[in-house]
Structure formats: C-alpha cells, structure tokens
Amino acid sequence: MANETLNNTATQAGGKKERSYFFDTFRGLLIWTIPISHFTMVGGNFHQASFGGVVYITINVFVMQAFVFLSGYFSKKPQRARETAFKTFIFPYIVLVPFFFGVRYLINGGAHLTWIDPPLALWYLVALFVYRFFLVDFIKSKYIVQISIIIYLIAGLIPWLDGTLAAGRVVSYFPFFMLGYFCQKEHIAKIQSLKNWHCVILAIVLVGINILLAYKCPVSVEFYLLRGPGAAFGLTWYLDIIMRIADFIIPCAWIVLMLNILPKGKNYLTYVGMNTMSVYILHLIVRQLVKKFDLPDPNMFVYYICLFGLASLCVVVFSSPPISKGYNWIFDFLYDKVYLSLKKFIKWMLGIETNRDKALKEAEKEK
C-alpha cells in the first residue's frame, strides 16, 4: 500500500526490469477486503456468531499482516526507506488527522482532534513510518526477527501498548514486516510450490478455523485488531499468549495460500493493487456514512448484497485514474509546494543553514 508499487519489479536478463503483476494482484485482493471488513462491522447488523462474523474474522486475521509483509518485502533498500518515510507516511498522517476530524464532525456532529491516538485506520501510516524509518537500525541485530516475535507474544501483557501512537499495533504487526524484509525471491518460489490439492486442504482448514473462531471461540473480534492488551478484552495472560500464537500462525498460512492460488498474469486486481492508498483512505469517508445511517436490512440477503456491493463500488471508484491520480497530486502538491516552501521560509527567517545548503552553495561557487 502507500504507493509502494514503484518497487514492485523483477529483474530480467539484460538488466531490464519488468513489473511483477502477481504482487499487485495480491495487494488488489487485500485492499478489496478492507471496505468489506469496515462495512461489516459498522453496517448495523453485526454479530460475531454469524456469516458477517466469519467474514470479519477471516479478513482481520490476515489482511493487514499480509499488507505489512509485502511492505517489508519491498523495503530492500533501508536507507531509501528512511529517506522517504516522512513524505510517504507521516506527512499524509499529519494532514489526514484534521481532515477526518472534519469528516466526523460534519457527519456525526462531534469529534475529537488528536494526533496521539490515530483515528480510524490511520494507524497503518504510523506503523509503516516506524518500520521504514528505523529499518536501518533494526537490521543491525541478526536476531531481530526472533526479538520481534517475542515482543509480539508478550505485547498483550503490557498495559501501555495500546492505541497511543498505535503502539499496540506497531509492535504486533512488526514481525510480519521483518519476515517480509528477509524474504527473498527464492523463498517465494519455494512457498509457491504447493500442489493444487495442498491448497484445497489448506483453504478448507483455514475457513474451518475462522468459522470456529466466530461461532465457538469466546474471544471478542476486537482482539484480532491487536490494538491493545488482552486484559481489555477479558483475556487472561496465558489465553492472550495462546491467541497471539494462533494469530501468528493463521495469517502466515493465509499468506502461503494466497501466494499459491493468485494469478501471476495481469488482471483487474492488478490495476487496483497499483492504486491502493486512495482506496484505503477515501473509503473511510463512506465508512462514517455507513456507521451513521446503517445499510438496508429488509433481510440478510439484501443486507449482504448492499454491503459487498458498496464495498466493491468504493474500490472501483477510488482506484479509478481520476481519483487515484487526484489523490496523489494533492499530497505531492501539499508536500512539494506548501510544506517544503514553508520549511524553507522558516529556515530563512531563523537563519538556519543545513550542511546540505552549504554543500549546494559550495558546488555553485566551484562552477
């Protein structure tokens, strides 16, 4: 997500690079499920022990983990990741927080403005900023994957790992980022060697597990968002750890399944996967409207048709060229023309001159 598709290339003989459509397709499928997940929860007829509960749990036990895994996979240049982290993630976050404050205020008649507790789904921007910016430092430890998994497993026991600066989620999704970073093309090739009957069995098992989690497991669906300590959802310390172990194995299995069954050629999902951020951000406006007015509910068939139809409409519209290009243009303009100009003006007012400024002046003198 987050316009990372420029890195989504595979080197061919002769040094040419060709886009790997498979990973775009993967992202396209993932982003399609995000509005479905959000609308399922706020559509007005959500019950955990229901079809909607199965859908919600299925999405939330692997989709964001898969997104983070792919982000790590395409972060093979740590220094470049650090250089672009502010513009790509934190700057949009700073802008979008007051924007969605306005959206919530207009729709609901009240809202709370804060950058400390990321609203809606903006936690993802904070998390990816942390992962990308500090990746240079993380990889200095050869045990970083093991450390990230251990911290993930005990995160639910630490009270202050909650929604503040998305700390709970930053820690909980971190192992998937590091697994993605250390995953190489040859690893992907090995993972993609499952036979068709292996995939069928794996799919049946995973769907069966998600049905059990919805209908039989006493753990609230809120747990699968991994945004706070288990005690907040009534979990004992040992049950929290057990559920986190399960919530690590299950998404890994889903990622393996997706890597084996998704098409490698170009298709519509490929295009959607190239324009994920506009879908991720803009559907949140529709989510607020759904939350306020609910979905039509004369019967469950109509309800789910409306839910899936509206979610699909959001994906089609918000990934379309006018919307996705307009979204990118706005943030490029705000950063390049507004933020950088303001930053330059403030530095001039304060008489601040950076080493880069000095180097540029010296280069000009030498000419």
Side-chain angles (χ1 to χ4, degrees):
M1 222 153 44
N3 300 328
E4 299 161 31
T5 52
L6 291 177
N7 295 321
N8 192 11
T9 53
T11 303
Q12 288 186 311
K16 278 192 170 184
K17 288 187 176 181
E18 182 181 84
R19 188 175 201 89
S20 176
Y21 294 122
F22 171 80
F23 290 106
D24 285 326
T25 298
F26 197 174
R27 272 196 287 254
L29 175 66
L30 295 175
I31 198 60
W32 207 294
T33 68
I34 297 297
I36 294 174
S37 169
H38 288 160
F39 297 168
T40 299
M41 175 55 77
V42 302
N45 198 350
F46 179 78
H47 307 284
Q48 180 164 336
S50 68
F51 174 71
V54 175
V55 170
Y56 187 80
I57 288 175
T58 299
I59 293 172
N60 283 281
V61 295
F62 95 94
V63 167
M64 294 313 297
Q65 287 91 333
F67 262 132
V68 172
F69 173 85
L70 291 177
S71 181
Y73 184 75
F74 290 109
S75 297
K76 295 295 195 281
K77 297 179 180 179
Q79 191 57 48
R80 176 63 176 165
R82 169 168 286 186
E83 291 168 358
T84 59
F86 178 82
K87 179 180 179 180
T88 308
F89 303 112
I90 285 299
F91 180 75
Y93 175 76
I94 293 171
V95 173
L96 288 168
V97 167
F99 171 77
F100 278 111
F101 166 79
V103 169
R104 287 178 294 156
Y105 187 85
L106 289 173
I107 295 175
N108 302 318
H112 179 57
L113 177 62
T114 175
W115 281 270
I116 302 301
D117 190 1
L120 303 176
L122 300 186
W123 67 268
Y124 184 67
L125 300 179
V126 177
L128 284 191
F129 170 77
V130 173
Y131 303 155
R132 290 286 190 87
F133 188 84
F134 293 104
L135 180 58
V136 175
D137 304 302
F138 291 145
I139 59 176
K140 291 178 181 178
S141 171
K142 63 179 180 179
Y143 301 110
I144 188 60
V145 173
Q146 295 90 326
I147 292 171
S148 68
I149 293 173
I150 291 171
I151 295 175
Y152 158 77
L153 291 176
I154 66 173
L157 312 180
I158 304 174
W160 50 267
L161 287 179
D162 53 15
T164 305
L165 293 176
R169 280 167 156 165
V170 169
V171 167
S172 296
Y173 291 95
F174 183 47
F176 294 93
F177 184 85
M178 295 314 307
L179 286 172
Y181 173 78
F182 286 110
C183 185
Q184 302 297 325
K185 283 189 288 187
E186 53 268 29
H187 300 142
I188 296 293
K190 287 182 180 179
I191 293 171
Q192 292 177 323
S193 62
L194 291 185
K195 299 183 183 299
N196 290 340
W197 66 271
H198 291 151
C199 295
V200 171
I201 292 174
L202 182 57
I204 292 172
V205 170
L206 289 173
V207 172
I209 290 172
N210 291 338
I211 291 173
L212 290 175
L213 291 177
Y215 282 91
K216 298 297 182 181
C217 184
V219 176
S220 168
V221 293
E222 291 288 320
F223 167 81
Y224 302 106
L225 303 179
L226 300 174
R227 61 185 174 193
F233 311 111
L235 273 64
T236 59
W237 69 268
Y238 54 87
L239 183 56
D240 181 87
I241 293 176
I242 291 172
M243 289 303 299
R244 280 179 172 265
I245 293 173
D247 205 15
F248 182 81
I249 296 172
I250 294 172
C252 287
W254 273 108
I255 291 171
V256 169
L257 179 63
M258 292 297 110
L259 289 175
N260 278 276
I261 66 175
L262 290 178
K264 293 180 173 61
K266 194 174 183 180
N267 56 78
Y268 183 69
L269 282 178
T270 306
Y271 171 77
V272 173
M274 298 177 187
N275 301 283
T276 53
M277 187 52 78
S278 55
V279 178
Y280 187 79
I281 296 300
L282 296 178
H283 92 276
L284 296 174
I285 302 173
V286 182
R287 179 187 182 276
Q288 290 301 111
L289 293 170
V290 172
K291 184 177 181 180
K292 181 175 178 64
F293 298 107
D294 295 338
L295 292 168
D297 189 18
N299 57 65
M300 294 310 294
F301 178 77
V302 172
Y303 176 77
Y304 285 115
I305 287 293
C306 291
L307 192 156
F308 286 100
L310 182 59
S312 297
L313 182 63
C314 286
V315 173
V316 171
V317 173
F318 296 145
S319 67
S320 64
I323 302 299
S324 60
K325 289 179 181 178
Y327 174 89
N328 293 332
W329 181 88
I330 288 171
F331 278 97
D332 287 340
F333 175 81
L334 289 175
Y335 185 84
D336 297 332
K337 303 300 182 183
V338 179
Y339 169 74
L340 291 183
S341 296
L342 181 61
K343 181 180 177 181
K344 185 177 180 180
F345 175 74
I346 292 174
K347 284 165 58 179
W348 175 78
M349 288 287 291
L350 298 176
I352 298 174
E353 189 176 48
T354 65
N355 291 333
R356 184 173 179 273
D357 296 329
K358 294 176 182 177
L360 289 173
K361 284 185 178 180
E362 291 297 327
E364 288 177 3
K365 288 180 181 179
E366 290 178 2
K367 289 180 181 179

